[in-house]
Amino acid sequence: MNASSASASHVRLRIFQVTGIAILVFAAPVAFAADLVDVANIVRTRHCGEASLPDKPLVASAQLNSAAAAVAGGTEVNTAIAAAGYRAKSSASLRVSTSRGKDDAVARELSRHFCHLVADPEFADIGVHRRGKEVWLLLADGAPLPAPIDTELLDSVLDRLNEIRAEGGGCGGNEFSPARPLKRSLELDAAARAHAEDMARNSFLAHTGSDGSNPGERASRYGYEWRVIAENVASGQTSADDIAATWLESAGHCANLRDAKYAETGIAYALNPGDGRDIYWVQLYAQPD
């Protein structure tokens, strides 16, 4: 049996800090979080030169407000965002310190130093926290979890993985020729689902089940007779591109995915929102006996 495991977070994080004074005229310096959101949105839509401006304003997020307060207290950004229950595909953390701590000064600093981030259409949500003359802003793009069973998502993941097989390519120094598409097996689907649910229920990521079982044993339990079998696992991904990127980054997972000796597959995910990984993936690769 050839099985390997890896977990990768694809959250992209950018952290910036500035201390200074600036020169853009801005009105109504009121020290409430809602006003800081307005400040950011005015900068987003009016003060970014000739660049293409986003159509939608940033939306205030209570979860990101909580995360911004935690960051101000010294918590690492990704940890703070996750602890607040916000699932971020990407995020940016901004810290602005001005001599007066007023909204007009914050606006000037955002326009002067961070306009490209505040105006980035990739970001949809914002959290803010003010402490004295310092302001913390978190910009993020959420990655909501899928429904507990989303057949369209599973189909799109398999389609993407079969596209990768058809291309051929390298995995950790080994080259693989283009391979035929994998066919779904109901028995392998059931085995993959059982392991995904086990990992989600018990908050772990591994090829060994909580009962000590391995991928081959689990496939056999569901009546699948196999010659060779392998398994990929991952956590946190919510799209076909994300899961493909995760497995291509691991030489073992990549090899399983590209190997032409496998003809059939089972694929599944299971959810445990808020446990730090949130979603668990399993794909089985097999040659039937």
Side-chain angles (χ1 to χ4, degrees):
M1 180 182 69
N2 175 19
S4 57
S5 65
S7 172
S9 169
H10 288 274
V11 174
R12 286 177 291 137
L13 172 65
R14 291 173 273 179
I15 302 174
F16 302 87
Q17 181 172 334
V18 65
T19 302
I21 334 171
I23 46 170
L24 178 67
V25 176
F26 205 87
V30 182
F32 293 103
D35 296 308
L36 288 174
V37 175
D38 291 341
V39 167
N41 276 322
I42 291 174
V43 172
R44 181 175 171 89
T45 57
R46 298 183 187 174
H47 300 300
C48 288
E50 300 303 319
S52 177
L53 301 178
D55 294 331
K56 296 180 180 179
L58 295 162
V59 176
S61 164
Q63 292 170 317
L64 289 178
N65 285 345
S66 175
V71 170
T75 303
E76 189 271 332
V77 176
N78 279 340
T79 301
I81 291 175
Y86 185 96
R87 298 194 81 254
K89 288 195 291 187
S90 59
S91 66
S93 173
L94 314 180
R95 180 181 178 182
V96 176
S97 178
T98 68
S99 58
R100 292 183 296 146
K102 304 293 186 178
D103 283 1
D104 55 344
V106 172
R108 291 196 300 265
E109 293 305 304
L110 292 178
S111 295
R112 190 175 184 182
H113 299 287
F114 303 127
C115 204
H116 64 295
L117 289 170
V118 176
D120 190 337
E122 176 183 10
F123 298 126
D125 300 323
I126 183 171
V128 296
H129 180 74
R130 190 199 300 269
R131 188 174 65 199
K133 297 177 180 179
E134 292 187 301
V135 168
W136 287 260
L137 299 94
L138 293 182
L139 310 175
D141 180 25
L145 289 173
I149 298 177
D150 186 336
T151 56
E152 288 186 5
L153 173 59
L154 291 172
D155 288 344
S156 71
V157 170
L158 184 56
D159 288 345
R160 180 70 188 103
L161 299 179
N162 276 331
E163 287 174 1
I164 293 169
R165 284 174 64 84
E167 295 166 357
C171 298
N174 295 316
E175 287 295 321
F176 290 84
S177 299
R180 63 191 184 281
L182 296 162
K183 295 181 180 179
R184 292 282 285 276
S185 157
L186 292 177
E187 293 84 2
L188 291 178
D189 275 350
R193 188 177 307 111
H195 188 48
E197 290 174 349
D198 181 24
M199 291 192 297
R201 184 170 53 252
N202 295 291
S203 297
F204 74 96
L205 187 70
H207 293 290
T208 302
S210 61
D211 61 355
S213 62
N214 62 46
E217 290 169 338
R218 291 189 290 271
S220 296
R221 285 176 186 171
Y222 286 88
Y224 188 87
E225 297 181 358
W226 51 272
R227 261 183 224 165
V228 288
I229 195 164
E231 179 183 76
N232 284 0
V233 297
S235 64
Q237 300 79 7
T238 56
S239 72
D241 286 341
D242 284 348
I243 195 68
T246 297
W247 285 337
L248 287 175
E249 287 174 359
S250 161
H253 288 78
C254 177
N256 289 341
L257 171 55
R258 293 192 190 275
D259 199 326
K261 71 173 174 276
Y262 301 120
E264 296 185 345
T265 190
I267 189 165
Y269 66 83
L271 307 178
N272 185 351
D275 81 333
R277 291 191 175 104
D278 298 327
I279 181 169
Y280 295 78
W281 288 89
V282 177
Q283 185 178 23
L284 288 166
Y285 306 81
Q287 179 62 254
D289 194 5

